[in-house]
Amino acid sequence: MTKSLPARAPGNGSPPHRFAAGLAVSALLGGLLLAGGALLVPRDPATGALLALEAGAFVLAAAALLALALGRRGGVWAALRWLGGLALIGVGVGRISGWIAQPEFLLIADPGAFPPVIFVTAASLGLAVLLIERPGRYLPPAQGLAALAMTLAFFSFSADWFRLGIVSLPALMSGIFLQMDALVLVASAAVLSLSPSGLRDILAAQTPGGYMVRRLAPLAIGIPLLVGWLRVEGERGGLFSLEVGLALFATIAVILMLVAVLLIAQRLNREHAYRSAAEVKLDRLNRELEDKIARRTARLEATVEELEAFSYSVSHDLRAPLRAIDGFSRILLEEKSDRLDGEGEGHLERIRSASARMARLIDDLLSLSRLSRLTLRWRPVDLSRLAGEIATELEAGEPDRNVDWIIQPDLQAAGDPTLLRAALENLLGNAWKFTAGEENAQIEFGRSADDPNHYFVRDNGVGFDMHYAGKLFGAFQRLHGQHEYPGSGIGLATVKRIIHRHDGRLWAEAVDGDGATFHFTLPRSYENDA
Amino acid sequence: MMPKKNKPILLVEDNPDDVELTQLAFRRANIANPMKVARDGAEALDMLLGEDAEKFAVVLLDLKLPKVDGIEVLRRLRGETRTRLTPVVILTSSREERDMIASYELNANSYIQKPVDFEQFVEAARQLGLYWLVLNQVPETEYD
């Protein structure tokens, strides 16, 4: 297994910017060095001052680029950019047109003179700095200008390079040309990596293409310079003739480039093989996962089918014997009562009320199981209005009771209106039931201040012992005796199932003898029922 | 108003307890029409479509039956000219939505869930008798 390409996240403060900042710092230092050199070691004071002026323009532009690389755009920084760009343009145009007097400009043949090409590159670089944030149809203008500046600077740089050679650097002015060209190259590279999209995206791309460009581009620049210099030196030194030198140059350049290309290709191939293997593995895992899901779904479907058959059978078959129990007890009571004493009649009544209770339990159980099978209809639901309606219904049922309702207005949620009504009916009905003994009964329905999806129903009724809170939401669980508070014990199980069907949570807190609070969460937006 | 010609009622029901209770309930509701009983779907089909088939004022049909189930009995009745208009009331323990839908799709005339409470059952029988044997009109010529 090979290592994957270095992972670098694109975006702000990421490679292009850090890279650009590095380039801008180099340009800044180079500019300062140039200015210092011009002032400290002048050929003559006038030239030194002029040179310092030009170096100053570079320093300004480099500082502006650095600011941009660090994300400073507005106010002072924009002004700095303008200043730097205009200074470079001024230096370039001024020099070329002769506005800025300089004796060497006329003496092009003088090996120590400034070649005019430097000022063209300075002017295009300045313009590039000015236009750096402007997008273009095919290529941002700044990138075109920077590329032009780079090409010219490279031309001039390599001309000096081959003419002087590395070893014969000492001539100060020549050193300055090289420095200025290098400065232009570095600053242009900064412009390229800072201006939006275009070449920068190709260079910074975390793809095989981007990887290749980042490796090959420096070699494409470096190899001809190095090999060319060797050739020139060799020819100058009389080691080989022009033709042999050319052939050597071509051969060495070709070999070096080919080796580089092959190495990169090998790396990309390894990467590709690694990815292919990963893809195959991923594919297999996906297929296995799908198989597993299919098997589980089948099993689940079978279970659901069984459950449906079960509840159908419960619905149909469990009721018939109950009807017989109730019917025949009734007939006994009515037709054979002369042969029964009071106790016997009492027993028969008990049989009848027990069968009635069981019938209700069966109905409740069936409703509960129906809840799980139902498809939810998602609609916007006004919970406050629902709660208000339920409160009115509860009061109508027991007009003698005096309960203080506190219902927070305008609580909007999303869900199945019928089911949410059933849930609220159970919660508010419970609160109503368990505050029956309370003189100043109070029932509150509201939304949590912290979480807009979190609702609660609070009462100051009998509450319950938190010790048994776990039993609260199971079907047929009761924390109070049937004789105290009637009910089948199915209400909270129903609420729980409804809230779960809505991907919400339900929990309760209480103090025994001092009220209970039921909390639930509901999504506010529509969601598909899976 | 008198019950029409005292035509018999057909009760299709396999549970003897339920048969007994239904008969008792109808007697208590003072319904005089004779009640015949089919113990399974095949017997019901025979009594309704067989060679010496009678005409019934109303068929009280349970859904869960041995041999041929109630839905199938209803389908066959609706497929025959002689019985396609016969009033059929589904009288069952089931409260399942799909049973109701299946029944009405096959043009059942009514769907009633048998109450567990005997008093309610008697009341249901009384209303059934009043409605289907007294109030409800059927086209006699085509029907007979």
Side-chain angles (χ1 to χ4, degrees):
Chain A
M1 249 344 113
T2 60
K3 277 195 307 177
S4 70
L5 289 176
R8 288 209 242 145
N12 249 359
S14 54
H17 289 90
R18 234 182 294 147
F19 183 60
L23 287 172
V25 168
S26 312
L28 192 60
L29 291 176
L32 289 171
L33 199 68
L34 195 64
L39 287 179
L40 296 176
V41 204
R43 199 197 207 181
D44 65 81
T47 313
L50 283 171
L51 200 54
L53 196 70
E54 286 150 11
F58 274 109
V59 168
L60 279 176
L65 289 172
L66 179 60
L68 199 63
L70 297 176
R72 308 274 152 76
R73 302 195 124 69
V76 175
W77 306 108
L80 178 63
R81 207 154 66 234
W82 275 91
L83 204 60
L86 288 175
L88 276 178
I89 295 172
V91 164
V93 175
R95 285 280 208 161
I96 294 164
S97 61
W99 295 342
I100 300 176
Q102 42 101 13
E104 291 90 344
F105 185 57
L106 302 169
L107 305 167
I108 297 166
D110 178 351
F114 284 99
V117 71
I118 282 184
F119 304 112
V120 179
T121 60
S124 12
L125 180 61
L127 204 54
V129 170
L130 280 187
L131 301 174
I132 191 159
E133 295 214 280
R134 182 163 302 201
R137 185 181 286 183
Y138 303 109
L139 193 70
Q143 294 190 359
L145 287 163
L148 175 67
M150 279 179 109
T151 310
L152 293 176
F154 184 76
F155 176 64
S156 143
F157 182 86
S158 50
D160 281 339
W161 176 261
F162 294 136
R163 188 176 60 205
L164 303 169
I166 297 172
V167 282
S168 53
L169 198 60
L172 181 65
M173 286 308 283
S174 304
I176 285 173
F177 299 151
L178 278 174
Q179 274 190 45
M180 285 181 80
D181 286 327
L183 255 180
V184 171
L185 282 172
V186 171
S188 302
V191 169
L192 274 185
S193 49
L194 278 172
S195 96
S197 70
L199 293 174
R200 191 186 78 181
D201 288 356
I202 302 175
L203 278 166
Q206 295 303 314
T207 57
Y211 173 81
M212 195 186 71
V213 164
R214 284 192 296 277
R215 299 287 177 297
L216 271 186
L219 292 175
I221 295 166
I223 289 173
L225 283 182
L226 180 70
V227 178
W229 175 74
L230 286 174
R231 183 198 145 197
V232 169
E233 291 297 307
E235 275 178 36
R236 274 196 200 131
L239 289 178
F240 37 73
S241 65
L242 176 75
E243 293 79 7
V244 174
L246 255 175
L248 268 176
F249 170 79
T251 310
I252 295 173
V254 162
I255 287 171
L256 285 179
M257 277 313 278
L258 274 180
V259 167
V261 167
L262 286 173
L263 284 175
I264 289 168
Q266 192 189 28
R267 175 74 188 271
L268 290 179
N269 281 344
R270 273 207 306 267
E271 185 69 20
H272 177 78
Y274 169 73
R275 287 209 179 152
S276 299
E279 265 168 33
V280 167
K281 196 172 159 197
L282 199 66
D283 237 37
R284 203 188 59 231
L285 282 175
N286 266 340
R287 262 201 312 278
E288 281 173 12
L289 206 62
E290 269 166 30
D291 281 356
K292 202 180 271 181
I293 289 171
R295 277 201 305 277
R296 294 224 171 130
T297 309
R299 223 180 299 156
L300 209 62
E301 272 168 4
T303 312
V304 167
E305 241 166 67
E306 261 170 44
L307 267 177
E308 272 188 33
F310 172 76
S311 68
Y312 182 82
S313 160
V314 165
S315 156
H316 198 273
D317 296 346
L318 243 51
R319 231 181 276 231
L322 279 179
R323 201 163 36 247
I325 294 169
D326 185 77
F328 292 116
S329 327
R330 177 81 193 180
I331 291 159
L332 265 185
L333 268 175
E334 286 181 5
E335 294 181 1
K336 316 285 179 196
S337 59
D338 48 333
R339 290 196 230 164
L340 284 170
D341 56 7
E343 203 185 356
E345 279 183 26
H347 289 165
L348 277 174
E349 284 297 352
R350 279 179 185 235
I351 291 174
R352 292 198 65 216
S353 78
S355 64
R357 206 160 56 241
M358 184 158 169
R360 205 166 53 238
L361 285 179
I362 291 173
D363 284 346
D364 285 347
L365 252 189
L366 285 176
S367 317
L368 194 61
S369 89
R370 205 166 291 139
L371 264 186
S372 318
R373 289 179 278 151
L374 216 75
T375 311
L376 294 194
R377 295 174 304 130
W378 287 84
R379 304 274 184 283
V381 179
D382 186 339
L383 293 177
S384 304
R385 221 188 62 203
L386 263 186
E389 287 169 13
I390 294 164
T392 311
E393 283 163 22
L394 287 168
E395 294 201 317
E398 284 176 77
D400 296 340
R401 281 194 57 189
N402 189 16
V403 170
D404 186 12
W405 290 94
I406 305 168
I407 296 174
Q408 193 177 326
D410 200 33
L411 297 181
Q412 306 288 344
D416 187 301
T418 319
L419 292 188
L420 288 185
R421 177 177 243 282
L424 272 183
E425 269 172 4
N426 272 300
L427 289 176
L428 295 173
N430 271 353
W432 177 265
K433 192 160 67 178
F434 292 113
T435 49
E438 204 64 36
E439 246 175 69
N440 302 310
Q442 194 182 70
I443 300 173
E444 189 182 351
F445 172 58
R447 168 142 72 195
S448 153
D450 309 327
D451 180 359
N453 297 339
H454 172 182
Y455 306 86
F456 61 87
V457 172
R458 182 178 296 137
D459 67 63
N460 60 348
V462 293
F464 58 86
D465 186 346
M466 276 303 276
H467 192 61
Y468 304 115
K471 295 176 74 179
L472 213 53
F473 301 109
F476 304 114
Q477 296 286 357
R478 302 175 46 83
L479 297 188
H480 299 277
Q482 177 80 34
H483 54 284
E484 286 178 287
Y485 297 99
S488 61
I490 204 97
L492 286 177
T494 305
V495 175
K496 184 180 168 190
R497 202 157 299 186
I498 290 173
I499 298 300
H500 281 185
R501 285 296 308 270
H502 286 83
D503 293 328
R505 290 184 305 124
L506 174 71
W507 69 102
E509 55 188 17
V511 177
D512 203 7
D514 199 22
T517 308
F518 286 86
H519 304 267
F520 62 94
T521 61
L522 277 179
R524 273 208 297 180
S525 55
Y526 290 69
E527 267 167 42
N528 288 329
D529 188 35
Chain B
M1 277 192 281
M2 283 293 293
K4 289 170 199 77
K5 295 180 183 174
N6 243 11
K7 256 196 292 189
I9 301 168
L10 178 62
L11 174 66
V12 190
E13 172 66 69
D14 63 317
N15 182 335
D17 288 346
D18 270 356
V19 170
E20 173 85 20
L21 285 172
T22 311
Q23 285 171 336
L24 280 169
F26 272 75
R27 203 187 306 148
R28 288 202 171 199
N30 294 321
I31 291 159
N33 301 47
M35 181 177 281
K36 305 216 165 170
V37 179
R39 302 282 173 179
D40 59 57
E43 195 182 342
L45 285 174
D46 193 47
M47 290 168 78
L48 283 157
L49 297 167
E51 275 182 21
D52 29 54
E54 274 183 90
K55 291 285 173 192
F56 292 97
V58 62
V59 178
L60 305 177
L61 181 62
D62 193 7
L63 288 182
K64 222 178 159 196
L65 291 168
K67 294 180 188 169
V68 183
D69 74 15
I71 292 293
E72 186 53 32
V73 170
L74 183 57
R75 191 194 316 279
R76 299 262 276 276
L77 291 185
R78 289 307 182 231
E80 294 283 338
T81 327
R82 277 186 297 167
T83 52
R84 74 191 165 89
L85 296 176
T86 306
V88 174
V89 173
I90 306 297
L91 188 63
T92 174
S93 296
S94 161
R95 212 180 60 176
E96 291 290 303
E97 194 91 346
R98 55 179 169 152
D99 283 340
M100 295 184 207
I101 290 168
S103 303
Y104 282 121
E105 272 177 353
L106 289 168
N107 296 319
N109 297 72
S110 186
Y111 187 106
I112 289 166
Q113 192 200 13
K114 285 183 259 186
V116 166
D117 185 290
F118 186 65
E119 277 156 67
Q120 289 173 23
F121 196 21
V122 171
E123 175 59 19
R126 200 185 59 75
Q127 288 193 22
L128 260 176
L130 177 68
Y131 187 85
W132 290 106
L133 305 173
V134 181
L135 292 177
N136 189 49
Q137 298 291 329
V138 285
E140 292 292 330
T141 44
E142 194 200 335
Y143 178 59
D144 269 319

